[in-house]
């Protein structure tokens, strides 16, 4: 409708309907439509060129993946390859695989990817996947990414892997962020985490770090301790006085009683004589 609306309903034309030559500013069509060419973002990862390869592999790729004949990702050939690989996410949920060249150019590699298998050392995905019928075999262009935990390069290898499903212990994006997160975003995450920890620590200790609060706290603590000490000491002193008084009183009473008895005995003796 925008470009080929019938002349009966078109009020005006933006371009003269002639066969004249011309020049126009154009934009590349990514993901088969201009509308879908705007992406949510590029994943903040940088996969070195010597860690990503097109491979011959053994479908389904798990629990054991055998990879051989490693070479440049399908369609991204040539000796002038530079930059790094990354993934681009689109608003419709599609994930594409691209190379960011050294001059900033975005080189499309696969318009869509499907992640298949994962291990600590490798990640396997299909580029431009299809239903399983046709070329290439295996449902797409098998592509292997080697983590920094193993040597880079096109050496063949075998790895124990797990299938990537919705409830996997680690998603493909988490694996990519763990192994290839850019230094800028990694440092930003570390700074944010450190700031959060410092904020929590400051919140807990700021009250006690104030000089006024320190002086007040220790003054009150000293006053309470001193008061408690004198109260306890006073009670102990009073208790000792009471005990001493009781002992003296008992001795006095006993001595008086014995003296009276002696007088009685002496009197009776005298009377009997």
């Amino acid at each position: 409708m925008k470009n080929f609306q019938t002349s009966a309903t078109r009020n005006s034309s933006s371009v003269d309907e002639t066969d004249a030559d011309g020049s126009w500013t154009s934009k590349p069509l990514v993901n088969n439509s201009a509308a879908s060419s705007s992406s949510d973002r590029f994943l903040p990862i940088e996969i070195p060129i010597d860690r990503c390869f097109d491979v011959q592999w053994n479908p389904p790729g798990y629990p054991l993946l055998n990879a051989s004949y490693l070479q440049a990702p399908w369609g991204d050939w040539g000796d002038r390859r530079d930059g790094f690989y990354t993934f681009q996410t689109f608003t419709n949920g599609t994930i594409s695989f691209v190379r960011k060249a050294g001059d900033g150019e975005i080189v499309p590699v696969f318009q869509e990817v499907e992640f298949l298998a994962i291990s600590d050392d490798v990640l396997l995905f299909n580029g431009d996947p299809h239903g399983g019928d046709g070329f290439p075999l295996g449902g797409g262009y098998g592509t292997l990414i080697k983590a920094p935990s193993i040597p880079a390069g096109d050496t063949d290898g075998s790895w124990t892997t797990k299938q990537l499903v919705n409830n996997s212990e680690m998603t493909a994006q988490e694996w990519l962020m763990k192994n290839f997160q850019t230094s800028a975003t990694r440092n930003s995450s570390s700074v944010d985490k450190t700031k959060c920890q410092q904020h929590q620590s400051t919140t807990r200790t700021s009250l006690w770090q104030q000089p006024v609060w320190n002086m007040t706290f220790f003054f009150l603590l000293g006053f309470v301790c001193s008061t408690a000490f004198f109260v306890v000491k006073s009670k102990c002193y009073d208790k000792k006085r009471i005990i001493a008084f009781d002992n003296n009183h008992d001795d006095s009473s006993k001595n008086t009683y014995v003296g009276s008895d002696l007088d009685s005995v002496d009197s009776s003796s005298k009377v009997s004589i």
Side-chain angles (χ1 to χ4, degrees), residues 94-155:
T94 302
I95 301 176
S96 65
F97 187 62
V98 302
R99 177 168 57 85
K100 282 191 175 183
D103 59 1
E105 179 187 5
I106 304 300
V107 181
V109 181
F110 300 123
Q111 292 186 352
E112 188 174 354
V113 301
E114 178 187 9
F115 296 105
L116 301 175
I118 191 173
S119 77
D120 291 338
D121 299 325
V122 296
L123 177 67
L124 177 71
F125 69 90
N126 260 337
D128 293 337
H130 56 76
D133 299 329
F135 181 83
L137 299 177
Y141 296 98
T143 308
L144 183 74
I145 301 176
K146 291 184 175 182
S149 56
I150 59 176
D154 57 1
T155 304

Side-chain angles (χ1 to χ4, degrees), residues 1-209:
M1 291 294 291
K2 175 182 177 182
N3 296 296
F4 299 103
Q5 186 178 6
T6 60
S7 58
T9 58
R10 184 188 299 116
N11 295 326
S12 63
S13 174
S14 59
V15 180
D16 294 336
E17 297 178 359
T18 66
D19 57 358
D21 298 339
S23 299
W24 298 271
T25 301
S26 60
K27 295 181 180 180
L29 282 173
V30 180
N31 233 31
N32 296 328
S33 78
S36 63
S37 63
S38 60
S39 65
D40 292 336
R41 62 187 178 116
F42 290 95
L43 292 185
I45 60 173
E46 297 180 1
I47 306 171
I49 290 177
D50 60 355
R51 289 192 173 275
C52 186
F53 305 94
D54 177 83
V55 296
Q56 299 297 313
W57 58 290
N58 56 321
Y62 54 86
L64 180 66
L65 171 64
N66 297 316
S68 59
Y69 300 102
L70 279 66
Q71 55 186 343
W74 184 267
D76 191 33
W77 305 306
D79 297 333
R80 300 182 61 184
R81 286 187 307 135
D82 63 356
F84 58 87
Y85 291 107
T86 187
F87 292 87
Q88 187 177 14
T89 61
F90 293 87
T91 55
N92 62 1
T94 302
I95 301 176
S96 65
F97 187 62
V98 302
R99 177 168 57 85
K100 282 191 175 183
D103 59 1
E105 179 187 5
I106 304 300
V107 181
V109 181
F110 300 123
Q111 292 186 352
E112 188 174 354
V113 301
E114 178 187 9
F115 296 105
L116 301 175
I118 191 173
S119 77
D120 291 338
D121 299 325
V122 296
L123 177 67
L124 177 71
F125 69 90
N126 260 337
D128 293 337
H130 56 76
D133 299 329
F135 181 83
L137 299 177
Y141 296 98
T143 308
L144 183 74
I145 301 176
K146 291 184 175 182
S149 56
I150 59 176
D154 57 1
T155 304
D156 299 348
S158 297
W159 298 272
T160 300
T161 57
K162 294 181 180 179
Q163 180 185 14
L164 270 170
V165 292
N166 292 334
N167 59 347
S168 296
E169 295 178 2
M170 177 179 289
T171 65
Q173 181 171 335
E174 290 172 342
W175 187 93
L176 291 167
M177 293 293 290
K178 174 185 176 182
N179 291 292
F180 299 105
Q181 185 177 7
T182 59
S183 57
T185 55
R186 184 183 299 110
N187 293 337
S188 176
S189 299
S190 299
V191 169
D192 292 342
K193 184 176 181 180
T194 302
K195 286 183 177 179
C196 181
Q197 292 174 344
Q198 290 176 346
H199 174 72
Q200 293 175 349
S201 176
T202 303
T203 302
R204 292 193 299 266
T205 60
S206 59
L207 180 63
W208 309 110
Q209 291 174 347

Side-chain angles (χ1 to χ4, degrees), residues 208-259:
W208 309 110
Q209 291 174 347
Q210 300 298 327
V212 175
W213 281 107
N214 277 334
M215 294 176 62
T216 304
F217 172 76
F218 286 112
F219 174 78
L220 293 175
L221 180 63
F223 176 77
V224 171
C225 292
S226 299
T227 302
F229 173 77
F230 285 114
V231 169
V232 172
K233 183 176 180 180
S234 176
K235 288 186 177 181
C236 291
Y237 180 74
D238 291 342
K239 186 174 182 180
K240 288 181 178 179
R241 290 185 59 189
I242 294 172
I243 293 173
F245 176 79
D246 291 342
N247 290 338
N248 292 335
H249 179 72
D250 292 342
D251 292 342
S252 176
S253 300
K254 182 177 181 181
N255 292 337
T256 303
Y257 177 75
V258 173

